[in-house]
Amino acid sequence: MKPTFPNDRYGYVPITRFTDFRWPNGARLALFVCLGIEDYTPDAGQTETLIAGTPAPDWVNRSWRDYGNRVGAFRLIDRLAGFGIKPAVLLNTAVYDTAPDLIAHARAAGAEMIGHGLTNSHSLAGMGPAGEAAYVGAVADRIEAEEGRRPGGWSSMWLAHTPTTLASLRGAGYRYLLDLHLDDRPVWLAAGDDRILALPYALELNDSSTVIGRHASAADFEWMIIDAFDEMRAASAQQPLVMSIVIHSFISGQPFRLRALTRALEHIACAGDAVWLATPAEIAAVIEEDPRRAP
């Protein structure tokens, strides 16, 4: 009997079925950190808010978000660098124009630029195939023009997809997606007549969904990271796994959250070479070298 899959993007491969290998430094657990560096159109489109219902012109929420690109992101980049972590910057390309000093700082720290739309006031939801293809292509074109190479990774604004998003991404040259967490391993997704690699993306170890969305405290978020890391490290003794953490410049860049995040990073650092602190590009390269390493 032909197996039934839950969707048309990937099949069912349980964690008990895997290809055994080690990450480049010999570790079993790879970890990457995503840093959202975003731009919002004032009083238009979708926005992240701290205080709901503020009427236009909404300078209160705008100032909170602007703090991230003026202060928070610089401190987060430097703090991550102190632990040997090069962030995967989820980049709204408008930031090239609105905060060029921040982009230069991220670039100097070796950050990987991940396509994340033009601004975070946009969404792929509702776009037709042609418009979507043009949109994700324009993001890749701008990053290539600024960085000298085309981005390998994409993360959708608001994690929104259309039925053609994966095919649009492959058509624009993206090779891996940071939006989904269906497994603790990279997973191949069908993308039209091609495929794209989904890297495990932290939907809950994510300061937007957890701290803002569910009102977790800074200490809650710290211990979520620590507990997840300890459990993942233990599980990775059996097979190679991937863990991610997602933070945003205007959320975890706030001083009291930065202090809590630092304690979590200190805990991770104690593992030494037992964890590979990588970028999404580095993780994807290992899988692309031997595609059988991902289900």
Side-chain angles (χ1 to χ4, degrees):
M1 179 180 294
K2 184 178 179 181
T4 300
F5 295 139
N7 55 62
D8 61 354
R9 295 291 182 246
Y10 52 86
Y12 175 69
V13 182
I15 196 73
T16 51
R17 287 163 39 195
F18 62 92
T19 299
D20 200 13
F21 65 93
R22 288 186 179 272
W23 298 111
N25 72 336
R28 289 286 201 171
L29 179 63
L31 184 148
F32 67 93
V33 178
C34 293
L35 170 58
I37 294 183
E38 298 171 345
D39 187 90
Y40 292 81
T41 304
D43 306 316
Q46 291 185 252
T47 57
E48 192 106 33
T49 58
L50 180 67
I51 301 171
T54 305
D58 185 359
W59 287 101
V60 174
N61 284 304
R62 183 179 178 182
S63 70
W64 172 64
R65 294 188 299 264
D66 284 348
Y67 181 91
N69 290 356
R70 297 168 66 97
V71 182
F74 289 94
R75 291 176 178 166
L76 283 166
I77 290 166
D78 290 346
R79 193 62 48 87
L80 291 170
F83 291 99
I85 298 172
K86 298 176 182 178
V89 170
L90 309 182
L91 180 65
N92 291 159
T93 54
V95 180
Y96 280 120
D97 303 312
T98 59
D101 289 12
L102 175 54
I103 297 298
H105 196 74
R107 187 183 296 124
E112 178 186 353
M113 304 303 179
I114 303 292
H116 192 50
L118 304 179
T119 89
N120 233 50
S121 294
H122 293 166
S123 172
L124 297 182
M127 287 190 184
E132 178 183 67
Y135 187 92
V136 301
V139 173
D141 290 345
R142 181 67 190 274
I143 293 176
E144 182 178 26
E146 297 286 347
E147 306 300 328
R149 58 185 177 275
R150 210 156 180 82
W154 171 270
S155 180
S156 284
M157 312 79 71
W158 307 100
L159 303 180
H161 288 218
T162 77
T164 59
T165 296
L166 300 184
S168 295
L169 293 174
R170 283 301 294 125
Y174 297 96
R175 307 190 323 276
Y176 43 95
L177 176 72
L178 283 70
D179 276 352
L180 311 179
H181 198 164
L182 63 145
D183 207 305
D184 287 333
R185 305 163 293 178
V187 173
W188 290 109
L189 308 178
D193 295 329
D194 205 338
R195 63 182 183 176
I196 192 168
L197 189 66
L199 300 184
Y201 178 83
L203 297 175
E204 295 192 78
L205 293 186
N206 182 319
D207 59 6
S208 177
S209 62
T210 296
V211 173
I212 302 304
R214 294 189 293 177
H215 308 293
S217 70
D220 290 337
F221 192 55
E222 170 192 347
W223 280 103
M224 286 172 64
I225 294 170
I226 290 171
D227 286 345
F229 176 76
D230 287 349
E231 186 63 26
M232 289 288 288
R233 183 182 173 192
S236 69
Q238 303 300 317
Q239 64 188 111
L241 300 175
V242 177
M243 174 179 168
S244 63
I245 301 167
V246 180
I247 54 179
H248 292 76
S249 62
F250 53 90
I251 303 174
S252 288
Q254 299 292 336
F256 69 101
R257 293 195 189 99
L258 178 58
R259 178 59 57 177
L261 175 65
T262 299
R263 290 192 292 268
L265 295 174
E266 288 170 346
H267 179 82
I268 290 170
C270 290
D273 290 339
V275 58
W276 180 38
L277 301 176
T279 64
E282 291 168 336
I283 294 170
V286 173
I287 303 301
E288 290 167 338
E289 181 181 359
D290 184 351
R292 296 169 299 176
R293 290 170 174 165

